[in-house]
Amino acid sequence: MTQALITGGTAGMGLSFARFLAAEGCDLVLVARSRQRLEATANRIADEFGVDVRTIVADLTTDDGCAEVGAAVTDVDVLVNNAGMGLGEGFTGASLDREEKLLDLNVRAVLRLTRTALPAMMERGQGSIVNVSSVAGFGPIMPGSTYNASKAWVTNFSESIAPLARRKNVRVMAFCPGFVRTEFHASANIPTSDIPSWMWLDSDAVVETAMRDLRRGKVVSVPSLHYKVITALIRHTPHSILSRIAERASAISARGHIH
């Protein structure tokens, strides 16, 4: 029986990945910090889809949490590094501790779990790793935020190791959605009222796209046509122009016109 481990598996895209894979008959290992919510989610999925669902309560911003989850990833066929965080404050407003936690979760945990899972998958000659990144990682489009820098690392990291993994029939893919209707922005205290409705994506739909692209062998997956266009523009716009746009957006934001 195929087994998948999903970090941040109780809500948002993590839950969508869990339900998608369970519907295909895949046993699950779900990782989150809240024991009560984790166990309730596991029970619902097990009852609905008839699969085995194990849980690991762990904080992936800590060494102990990464070590505990790392002990489980050597046996899985699919690893989804979904857990991540953003900050509702700019770089000079957030505390150093919070900035370091962002890097611990968005970067270091992805590195550690992938480093543990990938050799085992390569030895078996099969497996898949999905690293959830973001359209924000393609350029400095979030003025004053280090979130986009952390996601740029996730995308580049995935692109760097994908050719190595492919030699042993293992797939590694960076999944880069835009705005998705989840709890992410509310948890980070990030205002969303000024974001137009056309920019929002459905969590289940983007996960379907991610899994389809993974099976097609894509290394970078960007769901929806309009985000593909936006990503292409960001990637091919000179950095000097992107920087001026970001500076202007930052100035407008400071006057309270956008968030």
Side-chain angles (χ1 to χ4, degrees), residues 28-89:
L28 303 177
V29 181
L30 301 182
V31 179
R33 290 182 299 170
S34 170
R35 181 181 302 277
Q36 183 177 2
R37 190 172 188 181
L38 188 58
E39 291 178 351
T41 301
N43 290 336
R44 285 198 307 272
I45 291 176
D47 290 343
E48 182 176 356
F49 298 103
V51 297
D52 180 64
V53 185
R54 295 168 48 210
T55 61
I56 300 176
V57 180
D59 181 351
L60 290 173
T61 67
T62 68
D63 286 338
D64 289 344
C66 282
E68 185 174 2
V69 178
V73 298
T74 55
D75 297 324
V76 303
D77 305 284
V78 181
L79 169 62
V80 181
N81 281 311
N82 167 74
M85 64 180 289
L87 302 177
E89 302 164 291

Short mmCIF file of all heavy atoms in Angstrom, two decimals, residues 28-89:
data_model
loop_
_atom_site.label_atom_id
_atom_site.label_comp_id
_atom_site.label_asym_id
_atom_site.label_seq_id
_atom_site.Cartn_x
_atom_site.Cartn_y
_atom_site.Cartn_z
N LEU A 28 -1.94 7.38 4.99
CA LEU A 28 -1.40 8.70 5.27
C LEU A 28 -0.67 8.77 6.61
O LEU A 28 -1.01 8.06 7.55
CB LEU A 28 -2.53 9.74 5.30
CG LEU A 28 -3.42 9.87 4.06
CD1 LEU A 28 -4.51 10.90 4.32
CD2 LEU A 28 -2.60 10.26 2.83
N VAL A 29 0.30 9.67 6.65
CA VAL A 29 0.89 10.15 7.90
C VAL A 29 0.70 11.66 7.90
O VAL A 29 1.26 12.36 7.04
CB VAL A 29 2.38 9.80 8.02
CG1 VAL A 29 2.92 10.30 9.36
CG2 VAL A 29 2.62 8.31 7.85
N LEU A 30 -0.10 12.17 8.81
CA LEU A 30 -0.38 13.60 8.87
C LEU A 30 0.40 14.24 10.01
O LEU A 30 0.45 13.70 11.12
CB LEU A 30 -1.88 13.86 9.08
CG LEU A 30 -2.82 13.29 8.01
CD1 LEU A 30 -4.26 13.68 8.34
CD2 LEU A 30 -2.44 13.78 6.62
N VAL A 31 0.99 15.39 9.73
CA VAL A 31 1.82 16.09 10.71
C VAL A 31 1.22 17.47 10.96
O VAL A 31 0.91 18.20 10.02
CB VAL A 31 3.27 16.24 10.21
CG1 VAL A 31 4.11 16.99 11.23
CG2 VAL A 31 3.87 14.89 9.89
N ALA A 32 1.07 17.83 12.23
CA ALA A 32 0.60 19.17 12.60
C ALA A 32 0.94 19.40 14.07
O ALA A 32 1.38 18.48 14.78
CB ALA A 32 -0.90 19.32 12.36
N ARG A 33 0.70 20.62 14.54
CA ARG A 33 1.04 20.95 15.94
C ARG A 33 -0.10 20.70 16.90
O ARG A 33 0.13 20.44 18.07
CB ARG A 33 1.46 22.42 16.03
CG ARG A 33 2.80 22.72 15.37
CD ARG A 33 3.15 24.19 15.54
NE ARG A 33 2.15 25.06 14.92
CZ ARG A 33 2.11 26.37 15.08
NH1 ARG A 33 2.99 26.97 15.86
NH2 ARG A 33 1.18 27.08 14.48
N SER A 34 -1.35 20.78 16.42
CA SER A 34 -2.51 20.65 17.30
C SER A 34 -2.99 19.20 17.35
O SER A 34 -3.51 18.68 16.36
CB SER A 34 -3.65 21.55 16.81
OG SER A 34 -4.85 21.27 17.50
N ARG A 35 -2.80 18.56 18.50
CA ARG A 35 -3.18 17.15 18.62
C ARG A 35 -4.68 16.94 18.39
O ARG A 35 -5.08 16.02 17.68
CB ARG A 35 -2.79 16.62 20.01
CG ARG A 35 -3.13 15.14 20.21
CD ARG A 35 -2.74 14.67 21.60
NE ARG A 35 -1.32 14.87 21.86
CZ ARG A 35 -0.37 14.01 21.47
NH1 ARG A 35 -0.71 12.91 20.80
NH2 ARG A 35 0.90 14.23 21.76
N GLN A 36 -5.50 17.78 19.01
CA GLN A 36 -6.95 17.60 18.91
C GLN A 36 -7.42 17.70 17.46
O GLN A 36 -8.18 16.86 16.97
CB GLN A 36 -7.67 18.64 19.77
CG GLN A 36 -9.18 18.50 19.78
CD GLN A 36 -9.84 19.50 20.72
OE1 GLN A 36 -9.19 20.33 21.35
NE2 GLN A 36 -11.15 19.43 20.82
N ARG A 37 -6.97 18.73 16.76
CA ARG A 37 -7.38 18.91 15.38
C ARG A 37 -6.80 17.81 14.48
O ARG A 37 -7.47 17.33 13.55
CB ARG A 37 -6.93 20.27 14.89
CG ARG A 37 -7.51 20.66 13.55
CD ARG A 37 -7.16 22.10 13.23
NE ARG A 37 -7.85 22.55 12.03
CZ ARG A 37 -7.71 23.76 11.51
NH1 ARG A 37 -6.93 24.66 12.11
NH2 ARG A 37 -8.36 24.09 10.42
N LEU A 38 -5.58 17.41 14.77
CA LEU A 38 -4.93 16.38 13.98
C LEU A 38 -5.68 15.05 14.08
O LEU A 38 -5.96 14.39 13.08
CB LEU A 38 -3.48 16.22 14.45
CG LEU A 38 -2.55 15.32 13.65
CD1 LEU A 38 -2.45 15.77 12.22
CD2 LEU A 38 -1.18 15.31 14.31
N GLU A 39 -6.01 14.67 15.30
CA GLU A 39 -6.71 13.40 15.49
C GLU A 39 -8.12 13.43 14.90
O GLU A 39 -8.58 12.43 14.32
CB GLU A 39 -6.75 13.06 16.98
CG GLU A 39 -5.38 12.73 17.54
CD GLU A 39 -5.39 12.44 19.04
OE1 GLU A 39 -6.46 12.66 19.67
OE2 GLU A 39 -4.36 12.01 19.56
N ALA A 40 -8.80 14.57 15.01
CA ALA A 40 -10.14 14.68 14.43
C ALA A 40 -10.07 14.56 12.90
O ALA A 40 -10.91 13.88 12.28
CB ALA A 40 -10.77 16.01 14.83
N THR A 41 -9.09 15.20 12.29
CA THR A 41 -8.92 15.12 10.84
C THR A 41 -8.60 13.71 10.41
O THR A 41 -9.15 13.19 9.43
CB THR A 41 -7.81 16.08 10.38
OG1 THR A 41 -8.14 17.42 10.76
CG2 THR A 41 -7.62 16.01 8.87
N ALA A 42 -7.70 13.06 11.14
CA ALA A 42 -7.31 11.69 10.80
C ALA A 42 -8.50 10.75 10.87
O ALA A 42 -8.69 9.89 9.99
CB ALA A 42 -6.20 11.23 11.74
N ASN A 43 -9.31 10.90 11.90
CA ASN A 43 -10.48 10.03 12.05
C ASN A 43 -11.48 10.22 10.92
O ASN A 43 -12.05 9.26 10.40
CB ASN A 43 -11.15 10.28 13.40
CG ASN A 43 -10.31 9.78 14.57
OD1 ASN A 43 -9.48 8.88 14.41
ND2 ASN A 43 -10.51 10.36 15.74
N ARG A 44 -11.70 11.48 10.53
CA ARG A 44 -12.64 11.77 9.45
C ARG A 44 -12.18 11.15 8.13
O ARG A 44 -12.96 10.53 7.39
CB ARG A 44 -12.84 13.27 9.27
CG ARG A 44 -13.71 13.93 10.33
CD ARG A 44 -14.21 15.29 9.86
NE ARG A 44 -13.14 16.16 9.42
CZ ARG A 44 -12.45 16.97 10.22
NH1 ARG A 44 -12.73 17.01 11.52
NH2 ARG A 44 -11.50 17.75 9.74
N ILE A 45 -10.90 11.32 7.83
CA ILE A 45 -10.38 10.79 6.57
C ILE A 45 -10.39 9.26 6.57
O ILE A 45 -10.76 8.63 5.57
CB ILE A 45 -8.96 11.33 6.32
CG1 ILE A 45 -9.02 12.84 6.04
CG2 ILE A 45 -8.29 10.60 5.16
CD1 ILE A 45 -7.67 13.49 5.88
N ALA A 46 -10.00 8.67 7.68
CA ALA A 46 -10.00 7.20 7.77
C ALA A 46 -11.41 6.64 7.59
O ALA A 46 -11.60 5.64 6.88
CB ALA A 46 -9.41 6.76 9.10
N ASP A 47 -12.38 7.28 8.22
CA ASP A 47 -13.76 6.80 8.11
C ASP A 47 -14.30 6.98 6.69
O ASP A 47 -15.01 6.12 6.17
CB ASP A 47 -14.66 7.56 9.10
CG ASP A 47 -14.39 7.17 10.55
OD1 ASP A 47 -13.76 6.12 10.78
OD2 ASP A 47 -14.80 7.94 11.44
N GLU A 48 -13.98 8.11 6.07
CA GLU A 48 -14.54 8.40 4.76
C GLU A 48 -13.91 7.56 3.65
O GLU A 48 -14.62 7.09 2.74
CB GLU A 48 -14.36 9.89 4.43
CG GLU A 48 -14.95 10.29 3.08
CD GLU A 48 -14.86 11.79 2.82
OE1 GLU A 48 -14.41 12.53 3.72
OE2 GLU A 48 -15.25 12.21 1.70
N PHE A 49 -12.60 7.35 3.72
CA PHE A 49 -11.91 6.71 2.60
C PHE A 49 -11.42 5.30 2.90
O PHE A 49 -10.93 4.61 2.00
CB PHE A 49 -10.72 7.58 2.15
CG PHE A 49 -11.13 8.94 1.65
CD1 PHE A 49 -10.96 10.05 2.45
CD2 PHE A 49 -11.69 9.09 0.40
CE1 PHE A 49 -11.34 11.32 2.00
CE2 PHE A 49 -12.06 10.35 -0.07
CZ PHE A 49 -11.89 11.47 0.73
N GLY A 50 -11.53 4.86 4.15
CA GLY A 50 -11.12 3.51 4.49
C GLY A 50 -9.62 3.25 4.39
O GLY A 50 -9.19 2.14 4.09
N VAL A 51 -8.82 4.27 4.67
CA VAL A 51 -7.37 4.12 4.64
C VAL A 51 -6.82 4.26 6.06
O VAL A 51 -7.49 4.76 6.96
CB VAL A 51 -6.71 5.17 3.72
CG1 VAL A 51 -7.17 4.97 2.28
CG2 VAL A 51 -7.03 6.60 4.18
N ASP A 52 -5.59 3.82 6.23
CA ASP A 52 -4.92 3.96 7.52
C ASP A 52 -4.32 5.36 7.62
O ASP A 52 -3.62 5.80 6.70
CB ASP A 52 -3.82 2.91 7.66
CG ASP A 52 -3.10 3.02 8.99
OD1 ASP A 52 -3.75 2.81 10.04
OD2 ASP A 52 -1.89 3.34 9.00
N VAL A 53 -4.60 6.05 8.70
CA VAL A 53 -4.08 7.41 8.89
C VAL A 53 -3.37 7.49 10.23
O VAL A 53 -3.99 7.37 11.28
CB VAL A 53 -5.20 8.47 8.83
CG1 VAL A 53 -4.59 9.88 8.91
CG2 VAL A 53 -6.03 8.33 7.57
N ARG A 54 -2.06 7.67 10.19
CA ARG A 54 -1.26 7.89 11.39
C ARG A 54 -1.05 9.38 11.60
O ARG A 54 -1.16 10.17 10.66
CB ARG A 54 0.10 7.20 11.27
CG ARG A 54 0.05 5.69 11.18
CD ARG A 54 1.41 5.15 10.76
NE ARG A 54 2.49 5.75 11.54
CZ ARG A 54 3.73 5.93 11.05
NH1 ARG A 54 4.03 5.62 9.81
NH2 ARG A 54 4.66 6.46 11.83
N THR A 55 -0.77 9.76 12.82
CA THR A 55 -0.56 11.18 13.12
C THR A 55 0.76 11.38 13.87
O THR A 55 1.19 10.52 14.64
CB THR A 55 -1.70 11.75 13.98
OG1 THR A 55 -1.76 11.06 15.22
CG2 THR A 55 -3.04 11.62 13.25
N ILE A 56 1.38 12.51 13.62
CA ILE A 56 2.57 12.93 14.37
C ILE A 56 2.34 14.37 14.81
O ILE A 56 2.19 15.26 13.96
CB ILE A 56 3.85 12.84 13.53
CG1 ILE A 56 4.09 11.40 13.05
CG2 ILE A 56 5.05 13.33 14.35
CD1 ILE A 56 5.30 11.27 12.12
N VAL A 57 2.31 14.60 16.10
CA VAL A 57 2.20 15.95 16.63
C VAL A 57 3.62 16.50 16.75
O VAL A 57 4.44 15.99 17.53
CB VAL A 57 1.50 15.96 18.00
CG1 VAL A 57 1.41 17.39 18.55
CG2 VAL A 57 0.12 15.33 17.89
N ALA A 58 3.94 17.52 15.96
CA ALA A 58 5.32 18.03 15.95
C ALA A 58 5.35 19.48 15.51
O ALA A 58 4.55 19.90 14.67
CB ALA A 58 6.19 17.19 15.02
N ASP A 59 6.28 20.22 16.07
CA ASP A 59 6.55 21.60 15.67
C ASP A 59 7.80 21.58 14.80
O ASP A 59 8.91 21.37 15.30
CB ASP A 59 6.76 22.47 16.92
CG ASP A 59 7.01 23.93 16.57
OD1 ASP A 59 7.19 24.25 15.38
OD2 ASP A 59 7.05 24.76 17.51
N LEU A 60 7.63 21.79 13.52
CA LEU A 60 8.75 21.67 12.58
C LEU A 60 9.69 22.87 12.61
O LEU A 60 10.67 22.88 11.87
CB LEU A 60 8.21 21.46 11.16
CG LEU A 60 7.56 20.10 10.93
CD1 LEU A 60 6.90 20.05 9.56
CD2 LEU A 60 8.58 18.97 11.06
N THR A 61 9.43 23.85 13.46
CA THR A 61 10.41 24.92 13.64
C THR A 61 11.48 24.52 14.65
O THR A 61 12.42 25.28 14.89
CB THR A 61 9.75 26.23 14.11
OG1 THR A 61 9.23 26.06 15.43
CG2 THR A 61 8.63 26.65 13.16
N THR A 62 11.35 23.33 15.24
CA THR A 62 12.29 22.87 16.25
C THR A 62 13.09 21.67 15.74
O THR A 62 12.63 20.91 14.88
CB THR A 62 11.58 22.45 17.54
OG1 THR A 62 10.79 21.27 17.29
CG2 THR A 62 10.66 23.57 18.03
N ASP A 63 14.27 21.46 16.32
CA ASP A 63 15.09 20.30 15.97
C ASP A 63 14.38 19.00 16.34
O ASP A 63 14.40 18.03 15.57
CB ASP A 63 16.44 20.36 16.69
CG ASP A 63 17.36 21.41 16.09
OD1 ASP A 63 17.17 21.78 14.91
OD2 ASP A 63 18.28 21.85 16.79
N ASP A 64 13.76 18.98 17.52
CA ASP A 64 13.07 17.76 17.95
C ASP A 64 11.92 17.41 17.02
O ASP A 64 11.70 16.24 16.69
CB ASP A 64 12.55 17.92 19.39
CG ASP A 64 13.68 17.93 20.41
OD1 ASP A 64 14.80 17.51 20.06
OD2 ASP A 64 13.43 18.34 21.56
N GLY A 65 11.16 18.42 16.61
CA GLY A 65 10.04 18.17 15.71
C GLY A 65 10.50 17.63 14.37
O GLY A 65 9.92 16.67 13.85
N CYS A 66 11.54 18.22 13.81
CA CYS A 66 12.07 17.74 12.53
C CYS A 66 12.62 16.32 12.66
O CYS A 66 12.44 15.49 11.76
CB CYS A 66 13.16 18.68 12.03
SG CYS A 66 12.56 20.21 11.29
N ALA A 67 13.28 16.04 13.78
CA ALA A 67 13.84 14.71 13.97
C ALA A 67 12.74 13.66 14.08
O ALA A 67 12.85 12.56 13.52
CB ALA A 67 14.71 14.69 15.22
N GLU A 68 11.66 13.98 14.79
CA GLU A 68 10.57 13.03 14.95
C GLU A 68 9.90 12.72 13.62
O GLU A 68 9.62 11.56 13.29
CB GLU A 68 9.54 13.56 15.94
CG GLU A 68 8.43 12.58 16.25
CD GLU A 68 7.49 13.06 17.34
OE1 GLU A 68 7.67 14.19 17.85
OE2 GLU A 68 6.56 12.30 17.67
N VAL A 69 9.64 13.76 12.84
CA VAL A 69 9.02 13.54 11.53
C VAL A 69 10.01 12.88 10.58
O VAL A 69 9.64 12.00 9.78
CB VAL A 69 8.50 14.86 10.95
CG1 VAL A 69 7.90 14.65 9.56
CG2 VAL A 69 7.47 15.48 11.88
N GLY A 70 11.28 13.26 10.68
CA GLY A 70 12.29 12.66 9.82
C GLY A 70 12.40 11.16 9.99
O GLY A 70 12.68 10.43 9.03
N ALA A 71 12.14 10.67 11.20
CA ALA A 71 12.20 9.23 11.44
C ALA A 71 11.11 8.48 10.68
O ALA A 71 11.22 7.28 10.45
CB ALA A 71 12.07 8.95 12.94
N ALA A 72 10.05 9.20 10.30
CA ALA A 72 8.93 8.55 9.60
C ALA A 72 9.02 8.66 8.08
O ALA A 72 8.38 7.86 7.38
CB ALA A 72 7.61 9.16 10.07
N VAL A 73 9.78 9.60 7.56
CA VAL A 73 9.74 9.84 6.12
C VAL A 73 10.54 8.83 5.31
O VAL A 73 10.38 8.73 4.09
CB VAL A 73 10.21 11.27 5.74
CG1 VAL A 73 9.31 12.32 6.36
CG2 VAL A 73 11.66 11.49 6.11
N THR A 74 11.40 8.04 5.96
CA THR A 74 12.19 7.09 5.20
C THR A 74 11.35 5.98 4.59
O THR A 74 11.78 5.31 3.65
CB THR A 74 13.27 6.46 6.10
OG1 THR A 74 12.65 5.87 7.25
CG2 THR A 74 14.29 7.50 6.54
N ASP A 75 10.15 5.78 5.12
CA ASP A 75 9.30 4.68 4.63
C ASP A 75 8.19 5.13 3.69
O ASP A 75 7.42 4.29 3.21
CB ASP A 75 8.66 3.95 5.83
CG ASP A 75 9.69 3.30 6.73
OD1 ASP A 75 10.71 2.82 6.21
OD2 ASP A 75 9.49 3.30 7.96
N VAL A 76 8.05 6.43 3.44
CA VAL A 76 6.90 6.89 2.66
C VAL A 76 7.23 6.92 1.17
O VAL A 76 8.38 7.04 0.76
CB VAL A 76 6.41 8.28 3.14
CG1 VAL A 76 6.05 8.24 4.62
CG2 VAL A 76 7.43 9.36 2.84
N ASP A 77 6.17 6.81 0.37
CA ASP A 77 6.30 6.87 -1.09
C ASP A 77 6.11 8.29 -1.61
O ASP A 77 6.60 8.63 -2.68
CB ASP A 77 5.26 5.96 -1.73
CG ASP A 77 5.35 4.54 -1.22
OD1 ASP A 77 6.27 3.82 -1.64
OD2 ASP A 77 4.52 4.16 -0.36
N VAL A 78 5.35 9.09 -0.87
CA VAL A 78 5.08 10.48 -1.25
C VAL A 78 5.31 11.37 -0.04
O VAL A 78 4.77 11.11 1.04
CB VAL A 78 3.63 10.66 -1.76
CG1 VAL A 78 3.40 12.12 -2.16
CG2 VAL A 78 3.32 9.72 -2.91
N LEU A 79 6.11 12.41 -0.21
CA LEU A 79 6.31 13.42 0.83
C LEU A 79 5.79 14.75 0.31
O LEU A 79 6.20 15.20 -0.76
CB LEU A 79 7.80 13.55 1.18
CG LEU A 79 8.19 14.76 2.05
CD1 LEU A 79 7.52 14.69 3.42
CD2 LEU A 79 9.72 14.85 2.19
N VAL A 80 4.88 15.36 1.05
CA VAL A 80 4.38 16.68 0.70
C VAL A 80 4.81 17.65 1.79
O VAL A 80 4.28 17.65 2.90
CB VAL A 80 2.84 16.70 0.55
CG1 VAL A 80 2.37 18.11 0.17
CG2 VAL A 80 2.38 15.68 -0.49
N ASN A 81 5.81 18.46 1.49
CA ASN A 81 6.27 19.50 2.41
C ASN A 81 5.36 20.71 2.24
O ASN A 81 5.65 21.64 1.48
CB ASN A 81 7.72 19.87 2.11
CG ASN A 81 8.70 18.86 2.67
OD1 ASN A 81 8.63 18.47 3.83
ND2 ASN A 81 9.64 18.42 1.83
N ASN A 82 4.25 20.68 2.96
CA ASN A 82 3.23 21.72 2.81
C ASN A 82 3.28 22.77 3.91
O ASN A 82 2.91 23.92 3.68
CB ASN A 82 1.85 21.07 2.79
CG ASN A 82 0.73 22.07 2.95
OD1 ASN A 82 0.40 22.82 2.04
ND2 ASN A 82 0.14 22.10 4.14
N ALA A 83 3.70 22.41 5.11
CA ALA A 83 3.67 23.35 6.24
C ALA A 83 4.50 24.59 5.92
O ALA A 83 5.62 24.50 5.41
CB ALA A 83 4.20 22.68 7.50
N GLY A 84 3.93 25.75 6.21
CA GLY A 84 4.64 26.99 5.97
C GLY A 84 3.97 28.12 6.73
O GLY A 84 2.86 27.97 7.26
N MET A 85 4.63 29.25 6.79
CA MET A 85 4.07 30.39 7.51
C MET A 85 4.47 31.69 6.82
O MET A 85 5.46 31.76 6.09
CB MET A 85 4.54 30.41 8.97
CG MET A 85 6.04 30.61 9.14
SD MET A 85 6.58 30.64 10.88
CE MET A 85 5.92 32.22 11.41
N GLY A 86 3.66 32.72 7.05
CA GLY A 86 3.99 34.07 6.63
C GLY A 86 3.89 34.99 7.82
O GLY A 86 3.42 34.59 8.89
N LEU A 87 4.33 36.21 7.65
CA LEU A 87 4.27 37.20 8.72
C LEU A 87 3.47 38.40 8.25
O LEU A 87 3.64 38.86 7.12
CB LEU A 87 5.68 37.65 9.13
CG LEU A 87 6.64 36.55 9.60
CD1 LEU A 87 8.02 37.14 9.88
CD2 LEU A 87 6.10 35.85 10.84
N GLY A 88 2.60 38.90 9.09
CA GLY A 88 1.79 40.05 8.74
C GLY A 88 2.53 41.37 8.89
O GLY A 88 1.92 42.42 8.75
N GLU A 89 3.82 41.31 9.16
CA GLU A 89 4.62 42.52 9.33
C GLU A 89 5.81 42.48 8.38
O GLU A 89 6.26 41.42 7.99
CB GLU A 89 5.14 42.61 10.77
CG GLU A 89 4.05 42.60 11.83
CD GLU A 89 4.61 42.29 13.21
OE1 GLU A 89 5.04 41.14 13.43
OE2 GLU A 89 4.61 43.20 14.04
#
